[in-house]
């Protein structure tokens, strides 16, 4: 969709759960600095696509490449991959016995071997970045859902990823807390972070996305710029999906 280099590439990716074919010959490119929003009805394969990208699920055929290097090969270094591709989930998955600062600094210390003082300094900077500079010593139980999700974003950023994956990160939040998380994601997009975002937040998708990818029944149905998708989708399936939302 642009003249920028492809950072993520999916080539004829297939995924099964038992007899259920959940990803069907997915061909997709995500360019460097692109915000690729993936939408579609429940059960269409959106979250599975993200989980395969981070090797939380294994594909049965095809190939996924990061910056030209196959990441689904049997000999791929999965631990290294997960440092390069950050992921934020619907559930926050924070360690309840650690403060916000402790949650954000843990992986750089344990996985990358960064000295604790340096990791904690970086964690403070990231918590400031997501608007939580005053909550460094708070435990998850002392934070709202929106604040916990922002800590989770900071935790993913602490590994200095090349790509960020967001899987329905606002769907578990009360409506009044959604905006504070989307604002952080908006800022990341403005800063040039390459992002794949699965979301039902159509206002965010229209405003921030470079591309809209519509999935249905495990297939990639349509991929267009947001202004085209929302104003004049090119497929009947896209028109049907929008008619139920707008």
């Amino acid at each position: 969709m642009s003249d920028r280099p492809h950072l993520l590439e999916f080539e004829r990716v297939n995924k099964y759960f038992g007899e259920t074919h959940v990803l069907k010959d997915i061909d997709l490119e995500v360019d460097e600095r692109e915000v690729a929003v993936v939408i579609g009805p429940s059960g269409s394969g959106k979250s599975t696509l993200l989980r395969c990208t981070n090797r939380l699920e294994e594909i049965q055929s095809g190939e996924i490449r990061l910056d030209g290097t196959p990441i689904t090969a049997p000999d791929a270094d999965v631990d290294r991959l997960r440092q390069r591709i950050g992921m934020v989930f619907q559930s926050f998955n924070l360690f309840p016995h650690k403060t916000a600062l402790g949650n954000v600094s843990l992986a750089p210390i344990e996985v990358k071997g960064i000295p604790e003082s340096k990791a904690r300094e970086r964690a403070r900077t990231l918590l400031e970045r997501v608007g939580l500079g005053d909550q460094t010593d708070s435990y998850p139980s002392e934070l709202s859902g929106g604040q916990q999700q922002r800590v989770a974003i900071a935790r993913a950023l602490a590994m200095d990823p090349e790509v960020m994956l967001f899987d329905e990160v606002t769907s578990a939040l009360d409506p009044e807390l959604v905006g504070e998380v989307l604002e952080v994601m908006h800022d990341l997009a403005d800063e040039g972070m390459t992002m794949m975002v699965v979301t039902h937040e159509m206002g965010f998708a229209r405003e921030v996305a470079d591309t809209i990818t519509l999935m249905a029944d495990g297939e990639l149905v349509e991929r267009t710029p947001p202004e085209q998708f929302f104003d004049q989708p090119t497929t009947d399936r896209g028109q049907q999906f929008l008619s139920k939302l707008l």
Side-chain angles (χ1 to χ4, degrees):
M1 305 297 290
S2 78
D3 58 0
R4 293 176 297 204
H6 301 326
L7 190 56
L8 271 176
E9 298 171 277
F10 302 78
E11 183 177 352
R12 299 187 66 81
V13 170
N14 286 274
K15 169 67 181 174
Y16 293 82
F17 289 125
E19 298 296 317
T20 305
H21 198 176
V22 293
L23 295 178
K24 304 173 182 176
D25 285 329
I26 299 297
D27 287 314
L28 178 66
E29 297 86 29
V30 178
D31 294 339
E32 188 177 332
R33 301 173 65 89
E34 178 181 341
V35 179
V37 171
V38 183
I39 62 175
S42 297
S44 59
K46 309 181 302 294
S47 293
T48 300
L49 182 66
L50 292 194
R51 292 176 67 84
C52 289
T53 307
N54 211 29
R55 292 288 298 272
L56 294 171
E57 299 286 352
E58 299 296 336
I59 63 175
Q60 273 69 55
S61 65
E63 189 171 80
I64 303 174
R65 295 183 292 274
L66 174 62
D67 201 16
T69 301
I71 60 178
T72 44
D75 60 348
D77 185 339
V78 177
D79 291 335
R80 173 60 181 145
L81 165 70
R82 290 179 182 153
Q83 294 179 40
R84 300 177 67 192
I85 303 179
M87 189 163 181
V88 185
F89 302 87
Q90 176 179 337
S91 55
F92 319 127
N93 297 321
L94 300 178
F95 292 109
H97 62 290
K98 288 189 173 294
T99 63
L101 191 70
N103 269 281
V104 176
S105 61
L106 180 64
I109 295 169
E110 298 294 331
V111 178
K112 300 184 81 171
I114 294 174
E116 182 175 350
S117 59
K118 186 175 180 180
R120 290 173 68 86
E121 180 181 352
R122 168 76 167 147
R124 290 182 189 279
T125 299
L126 288 170
L127 287 168
E128 287 278 0
R129 184 177 179 184
V130 299
L132 293 174
D134 59 343
Q135 299 292 339
T136 56
D137 296 326
S138 297
Y139 289 89
S141 62
E142 300 171 322
L143 300 173
S144 70
Q147 290 173 323
Q148 290 184 63
Q149 193 61 289
R150 284 186 281 158
V151 173
I153 293 173
R155 178 180 58 185
L157 292 172
M159 300 299 283
D160 293 316
E162 298 163 49
V163 182
M164 285 283 286
L165 310 177
F166 294 90
D167 187 13
E168 298 282 13
V169 297
T170 60
S171 60
L173 300 178
D174 291 334
E176 64 268 23
L177 302 178
V178 169
E180 64 191 48
V181 175
L182 293 181
E183 182 178 356
V184 171
M185 295 169 65
H186 199 307
D187 289 344
L188 289 175
D190 288 344
E191 293 166 12
M193 174 64 73
T194 305
M195 300 160 61
M196 283 187 71
V197 182
V198 170
T199 185
H200 286 103
E201 298 291 339
M202 293 299 107
F204 173 83
R206 182 191 283 266
E207 182 178 356
V208 177
D210 294 301
T211 57
I212 301 289
T213 296
L214 174 66
M215 292 186 67
D217 302 317
E219 297 181 319
L220 197 162
V221 177
E222 181 170 351
R223 188 166 192 254
T224 56
E227 58 272 15
Q228 179 175 341
F229 179 80
F230 286 107
D231 295 337
Q232 194 171 7
T234 60
T235 63
D236 291 341
R237 191 67 183 84
Q239 294 171 11
Q240 293 169 11
F241 180 77
L242 278 182
S243 70
K244 297 177 181 179
L245 295 176
L246 306 177

